[in-house]
């Protein structure tokens, strides 16, 4: 929405908290809270279908759409971590299958978006690490981003590199994304954060998206 305002584009924001790559495609796919949220509160735009079906219908009806952004995969990772009860060995053992499913689902999504005849900039926004000083956690983020990049490359999509933008922004805080003010803080304990971007962080994401969009429009590498 910040990017749309900056670029003077009308925005249709179909995002749903807790959406996974499979839940995006199917109402019976794995879910990390999206369907519960939808049942209790309205989304930014109204639809009863999957987010996938909404996107295809929107693009079919709005042929002059200039930009599509997509950020999916993190909730798949959270489900894996929860299923493994944070056990590193379990996570590593099941990670290849999870990444393979993320790639396949995202490839299906992006290829079908292209099949609508969409000619604008198709953008995959990758993920930042919640703590760059934590090698194991950052490694999982890197692996996820590699899967996203592979699907993007297969479908002529560009990648907005949030990972690097946040890494640079968190450097002064020892790589700790929370301490850099990039995550929503806990009002009861300012040394703790949740996983969601703060307002300043949202602006950093928007700047990253805008720069990527401008480069894609110019045809830069």
């Amino acid at each position: 929405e910040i990017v749309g305002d900056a670029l003077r584009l009308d925005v249709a924001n179909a995002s749903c908290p807790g959406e996974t790559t499979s839940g995006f495609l199917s109402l019976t796919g794995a879910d990390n809270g999206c369907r519960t949220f939808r049942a209790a509160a309205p989304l930014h735009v109204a639809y009863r279908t999957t987010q996938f079906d909404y996107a295809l219908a929107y693009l079919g009806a709005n042929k002059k759409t200039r930009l599509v952004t997509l950020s999916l995969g993190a909730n798949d990772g959270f489900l894996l971590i929860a299923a493994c009860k944070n056990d590193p060995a379990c996570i590593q053992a099941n990670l290849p299958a999870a990444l393979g499913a993320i790639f396949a689902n995202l490839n299906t999504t992006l290829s079908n978006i292209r099949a609508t005849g969409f000619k604008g900039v198709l953008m995959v926004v990758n993920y930042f690490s919640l703590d760059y000083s934590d090698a194991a956690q950052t490694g999982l983020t890197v692996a996820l981003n590699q899967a996203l990049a592979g699907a993007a490359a297969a479908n002529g999509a560009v990648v907005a590199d949030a990972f690097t933008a946040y890494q640079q922004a968190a450097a002064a805080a020892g790589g700790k994304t929370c301490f850099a003010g990039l995550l929503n803080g806990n009002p009861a304990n300012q040394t703790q954060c949740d996983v969601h971007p703060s307002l300043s962080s949202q602006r950093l994401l928007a700047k990253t998206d805008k720069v990527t969009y401008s480069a894609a429009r110019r045809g830069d590498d």
Side-chain angles (χ1 to χ4, degrees):
E1 292 179 335
I2 298 172
V3 174
D5 184 61
L7 297 175
R8 299 182 180 180
L9 299 177
D10 294 329
V11 176
N13 180 358
S15 61
C16 183
E19 189 77 285
T20 67
T21 60
S22 58
F24 185 93
L25 293 170
S26 170
L27 292 176
T28 60
D31 181 51
N32 194 35
C34 170
R35 286 193 284 276
T36 300
F37 185 93
R38 286 181 65 171
L43 300 178
H44 294 275
V45 295
Y47 57 94
R48 295 182 178 276
T49 63
T50 62
Q51 199 174 155
F52 175 70
D53 288 335
Y54 170 85
L56 298 188
Y58 181 91
L59 292 172
N62 295 272
K63 297 296 186 181
K64 294 183 179 180
T65 300
R66 290 166 52 188
L67 171 64
V68 171
T69 66
L70 188 71
S71 186
L72 281 172
N75 284 297
D76 300 61
F78 291 144
L79 287 180
L80 170 62
I81 292 169
C84 284
K85 298 180 181 179
N86 288 307
D87 176 40
C90 173
I91 293 170
Q92 288 299 324
N94 290 279
L95 185 61
L99 293 175
I102 289 169
F103 172 86
N105 291 335
L106 194 58
N107 184 62
T108 296
T109 296
L110 296 175
S111 63
N112 277 274
I113 286 174
R114 283 299 189 201
T116 66
F118 172 66
K119 302 298 184 183
V121 175
L122 182 54
M123 181 185 300
V124 174
V125 184
N126 72 10
Y127 287 96
F128 53 85
S129 173
L130 298 176
D131 185 353
Y132 288 90
S133 68
D134 184 330
Q137 184 178 105
T138 301
L140 291 176
T141 306
V142 169
L144 170 59
N145 286 343
Q146 289 173 341
L148 303 187
N155 293 281
V158 296
V159 175
D161 189 9
F163 181 89
T164 299
Y166 276 69
Q167 186 176 41
Q168 293 170 349
K176 294 188 175 296
T177 314
C178 175
F179 294 171
L182 296 170
L183 301 176
N184 285 332
N186 181 344
N189 187 343
Q190 291 300 314
T191 65
Q192 296 179 351
C193 295
D194 67 18
V195 301
H196 299 104
S198 63
L199 181 58
S200 61
S201 176
Q202 292 172 36
R203 293 189 180 113
L204 176 59
L205 272 176
K207 179 181 178 181
T208 304
D209 291 358
K210 185 179 176 183
V211 169
T212 305
Y213 173 78
S214 297
R217 294 272 291 179
R218 291 194 307 265
D220 296 353
D221 293 332

